[in-house]
Amino acid sequence: SYVLTQPPSVSVAPGQTARITCGGNNIGSKSVHWYQQKPGQAPVLVVYDDSDRPSGIPERFSGSNSGNTATLTISRVEAGDEADYYCQVWDSSSDQGVFGGGTKLTVL
Amino acid sequence: QVQLVQSGAEVKKPGASVKVSCKASGYTFTSYDINWVRQATGQGLEWMGWMNPNSGNTGYAQKFQGRVTMTRNTSISTAYMELSSLRSEDTAVYYCARVPHYYDSSGYFPYGMDVWGQGTTVTVSS
């Protein structure tokens, strides 16, 4: 089955840029979606189809995808961005959804 | 507004079954797939399966094949997820989520899960 690999944690100071990676075999050929989850809350979609943002999501959130790595970039990080972030793809070879293990973003 | 409202918390004994409901409002229920995702305490998100409310077609993660059934009642815009033969490892929060999608000659293309239910806690304990 298809595997997505994320770093367990990323730390960044307020105002700086956070980059969270999601690795997978030829992930650049798939559409990657990113979710933000704060403690005790349901996940929220922050980027879909590699780099599109749902309405209401700040422009500070952006995504890219190429080769074996997709990246969620959060610019001008704020304290409120502290959360777990998950990448997700649809694996057409098995007709199944797949999540990465999640990355905890800490704002120092 | 667009929302998914799930049924309340459940406590079940090992070997029992649980059925969680997910009521949609604010959009056309049959126009979007429903996915189910679960999360054990302190763990990551785990995809369980999908259902097309229009056709009733379903697809399940291999891990849950034979134990999970996803159904719907279009007259009340409600999706259901039933998990059987429960064990302690099934203790988790279960979420339903709406998934926009399209089909073409190449296959099925779901977009991200853009609306989520509030989650239903299922506790399996003797």
Side-chain angles (χ1 to χ4, degrees), chain A residues 55-74:
Chain A
S55 61
I57 300 300
E59 291 183 10
R60 301 185 298 104
F61 289 82
S62 63
S64 62
N65 184 18
S66 178
N68 293 318
T69 304
T71 303
L72 173 70
T73 300
I74 309 172

Side-chain angles (χ1 to χ4, degrees), chain B residues 2 24-34 53-54 74 77 98 101:
Chain B
V2 174
S25 61
Y27 73 96
T28 301
F29 177 61
T30 51
S31 294
Y32 297 79
D33 285 353
I34 292 288
N54 186 45
T74 56
S77 299
R98 187 183 84 160
H101 62 280

Side-chain angles (χ1 to χ4, degrees), chain B residues 96-115:
Chain B
C96 60
R98 187 183 84 160
V99 181
H101 62 280
Y102 71 95
Y103 298 90
D104 67 16
S105 57
S106 303
Y108 169 69
F109 297 92
Y111 293 105
M113 301 176 203
D114 66 346
V115 179

Side-chain angles (χ1 to χ4, degrees), chain A residues 25-86:
Chain A
N25 184 35
N26 197 25
I27 195 174
S29 67
K30 301 181 183 302
S31 289
V32 180
H33 317 300
W34 291 91
Y35 303 87
Q36 175 193 69
Q37 186 181 35
K38 297 181 179 179
Q41 298 183 18
V44 173
L45 181 67
V46 293
V47 167
Y48 66 97
D49 278 3
D50 298 339
S51 58
D52 291 330
R53 276 177 291 104
S55 61
I57 300 300
E59 291 183 10
R60 301 185 298 104
F61 289 82
S62 63
S64 62
N65 184 18
S66 178
N68 293 318
T69 304
T71 303
L72 173 70
T73 300
I74 309 172
S75 305
R76 302 180 300 283
V77 166
E78 303 172 357
D81 298 331
E82 190 163 281
D84 294 326
Y85 290 85
Y86 296 89

